[in-house]
């Protein structure tokens, strides 16, 4: 069996054990004196999602979601502080400064997707990227990844980078250091358990970093990532507007912010379907971020 096939098999084998393990650990009490915040009652199991529906290939009009989106507050686990293999001996040193552009002497750009994995939108984003043979970077939320570990495996198996976007999407600059370490460390631990490798990239929710959060990010072996182009998809302005926002601002080395979770992202999917082939026609090459 080829090495990458063995890696895929291992990921699929451990993902069920990871969910059980995380749920069990989440029921444990935090150590005395921890300053990580309380996050509600005991976790409860949720049914597995149904297969994704088809998303229209063309742009969709703006406006609110057509159906009820999953409640992001319906699934909470008690945070735990953690360290990862990226912060241990032999780990590559992370970059201390937030990256907004990446230097390149070619027309390379870096598409990023935040707030997933999402059982409806993430598979459609992956389908479009796969069709055009390009790679991207997904900054995942821990509480979503623990619920849909198979999607995390799909992202990695298709050659995309997986980054850390905290466990519950809080504003890190509003948290004490122990809670920041909990949000980032716990998510890194989960990603490492599922994929076999801890993330080496992190993005703060809302792009808000401060010195303590950056220091903790680096201690956990991750380089912080921002963005140069905000697609503004989170404002739900319509797929055509999202597409033109990306195309009009595009330049070599740009990091582009989009979302595959956190709400109704059908406009993001439709916009990606429209602007990605145009980027390729203009000679741009989307690739994954590497520290």
């Amino acid at each position: 069996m080829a090495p990458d096939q063995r890696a895929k098999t291992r990921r699929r084998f451990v993902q069920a054990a990871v969910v059980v393990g995380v749920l069990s650990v989440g029921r444990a009490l935090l150590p005395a004196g921890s300053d990580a915040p309380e996050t509600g009652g005991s976790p409860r199991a949720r049914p597995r999602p149904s297969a994704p529906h088809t998303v229209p290939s063309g742009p969709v009009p703006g406006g609110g979601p057509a159906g009820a989106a999953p409640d992001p507050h319906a699934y909470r686990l008690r945070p735990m502080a953690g360290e990862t293999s990226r912060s241990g001996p032999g780990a590559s040193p992370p970059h201390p400064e937030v990256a907004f552009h990446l230097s390149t002497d070619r027309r390379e750009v870096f598409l990023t997707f935040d707030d997933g994995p999402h059982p409806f939108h993430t598979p459609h984003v992956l389908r479009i990227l796969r069709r055009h043979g390009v790679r991207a970077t997904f900054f995942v939320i821990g509480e979503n990844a623990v619920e849909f570990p198979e999607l995390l495996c799909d992202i990695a198996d298709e050659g995309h980078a997986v980054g850390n976007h905290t466990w519950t999407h809080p504003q890190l600059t509003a948290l004490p250091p122990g809670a920041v370490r909990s949000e980032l460390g716990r998510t890194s631990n989960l990603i490492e358990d599922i994929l076999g490798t801890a993330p080496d990239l992190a993005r703060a929710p809302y792009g808000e970093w401060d010195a303590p959060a950056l220091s903790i990010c680096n201690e956990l072996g991750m380089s912080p990532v921002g963005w140069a182009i905000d697609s503004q998809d989170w404002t739900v302005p319509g797929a055509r507007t999202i597409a033109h926002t990306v195309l009009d601002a595009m330049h070599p080395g740009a990091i582009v912010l989009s979302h595959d979770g956190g709400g109704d992202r059908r406009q993001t999917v439709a916009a990606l379907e429209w602007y990605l082939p145009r980027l390729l026609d203009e000679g741009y090459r989307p690739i994954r971020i590497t520290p």
Side-chain angles (χ1 to χ4, degrees):
M1 184 181 294
D4 55 344
Q5 282 297 112
R6 288 198 297 270
K8 291 180 182 180
T9 301
R10 177 185 180 278
R11 290 171 185 167
R12 301 294 181 181
F13 179 78
V14 303
Q15 66 185 30
V18 167
V19 175
V20 173
V22 170
L23 291 174
S24 300
V25 172
R27 296 189 181 97
L29 294 176
L30 286 172
S34 171
D35 51 4
E38 294 294 329
T39 56
S42 300
R44 56 188 178 86
R46 290 176 63 178
R48 298 298 299 168
S50 58
H53 304 290
T54 301
V55 172
S57 59
V60 297
D71 179 3
H73 302 291
Y75 194 81
R76 287 285 189 269
L77 295 178
R78 192 181 300 271
M80 290 176 55
E83 302 291 342
T84 75
S85 64
R86 291 287 182 182
S87 57
S92 299
H95 297 289
E97 303 298 329
V98 181
F100 301 98
H101 299 77
L102 296 173
S103 66
T104 174
D105 56 1
R106 291 172 287 186
R107 292 174 69 82
E108 293 172 335
V109 295
F110 305 88
L111 304 182
T112 68
F113 298 89
D114 287 11
D115 297 353
H118 186 283
F120 181 81
H121 304 301
T122 302
H124 288 298
V125 171
L126 290 174
R127 171 182 56 82
I128 296 169
L129 298 175
R130 184 188 319 121
R131 184 195 312 147
H132 294 285
V134 301
R135 300 292 180 266
T137 301
F138 290 77
F139 290 95
V140 302
I141 294 176
E143 64 178 1
N144 292 339
V146 76
E147 194 169 3
F148 304 112
E150 72 283 357
L151 287 178
L152 204 64
C153 291
D154 290 342
I155 292 168
D157 289 347
E158 296 196 19
H160 307 293
V162 175
N164 185 326
H165 199 40
T166 74
W167 190 268
T168 63
H169 203 274
Q171 183 175 334
L172 296 182
T173 56
L175 298 181
V180 173
R181 183 175 295 276
S182 172
E183 286 282 336
L184 293 172
R186 189 180 183 200
T187 304
S188 285
N189 285 340
L190 176 68
I191 293 171
E192 183 173 17
D193 285 344
I194 295 173
L195 300 181
T197 304
D200 49 19
L201 302 169
R203 173 174 282 160
Y206 318 107
E208 294 289 335
W209 294 100
D210 58 14
L214 285 171
S215 177
I216 291 168
C217 176
N218 275 244
E219 289 171 8
L220 293 173
M222 295 180 290
S223 298
V225 179
W227 58 86
I229 299 174
D230 184 350
S231 71
Q232 297 283 318
D233 62 342
W234 51 275
T235 67
V236 198
R240 189 171 295 276
T241 298
I242 295 170
H244 282 295
T245 297
V246 173
L247 289 172
D248 291 347
M250 188 56 66
H251 56 274
I255 300 173
V256 183
L257 170 67
S258 297
H259 298 79
D260 63 322
D264 186 339
R265 302 305 180 197
R266 287 177 296 171
Q267 292 184 6
T268 302
V269 172
L272 179 67
E273 186 98 60
W274 193 81
Y275 73 72
L276 182 53
R278 286 160 176 80
L279 284 180
L280 295 173
D281 288 344
E282 293 177 10
Y284 286 107
R285 178 176 172 242
I287 64 174
R288 54 185 279 168
I289 298 174
T290 55

